[in-house]
């Protein structure tokens, strides 16, 4: 698959990220949020936010709003806990 689009077709001098690259970046950031909160002793909050969305590799929600809401919730908690 293509992760970036070449600059020529979009009249730019730089490559543009594709949707696949953005999805990978979002997944990495989701993991980082969860790991930072776990390191801050917030494992129960992480589990409560994420287990309803992705209980296992074969049991996960197809609702994009559920993931967006969990990202928002975890991000707000990280912001509150920031020194």
């Amino acid at each position: 698959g293509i992760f970036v689009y070449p600059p020529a077709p979009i009249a730019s001098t730089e490559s543009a990220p594709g949707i696949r690259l953005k999805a990978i970046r979002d997944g990495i950031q989701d993991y980082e949020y969860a790991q930072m909160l776990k390191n801050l002793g917030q494992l129960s909050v992480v589990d409560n936010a994420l287990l309803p969305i992705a209980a296992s590799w074969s049991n996960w929600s197809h609702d994009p709003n559920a993931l967006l809401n969990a990202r928002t919730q975890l991000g707000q908690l990280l912001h509150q806990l920031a020194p």
Side-chain angles (χ1 to χ4, degrees):
I2 296 175
F3 290 110
V4 294
Y5 294 101
I10 58 172
S12 174
T13 58
E14 297 181 14
S15 298
I19 191 72
R20 290 176 187 92
L21 184 60
K22 289 181 177 186
I24 290 169
R25 184 175 50 230
D26 285 347
I28 291 169
Q29 290 171 346
D30 291 342
Y31 174 82
E32 289 172 343
Y33 272 22
Q35 190 60 47
M36 286 187 284
L37 286 167
K38 286 179 183 180
N39 292 343
L40 292 170
Q42 300 295 317
L43 179 59
S44 62
V45 175
V46 172
D47 285 348
N48 288 337
L50 299 182
L51 285 179
I53 298 170
S56 71
W57 284 100
S58 59
N59 180 14
W60 49 277
S61 173
H62 296 267
D63 178 11
N65 291 323
L67 184 55
L68 181 59
N69 292 337
R71 281 182 186 144
T72 301
Q73 176 188 356
L74 297 179
Q76 288 173 344
L77 180 58
L78 272 173
H79 182 70
Q80 290 172 1
L81 296 174

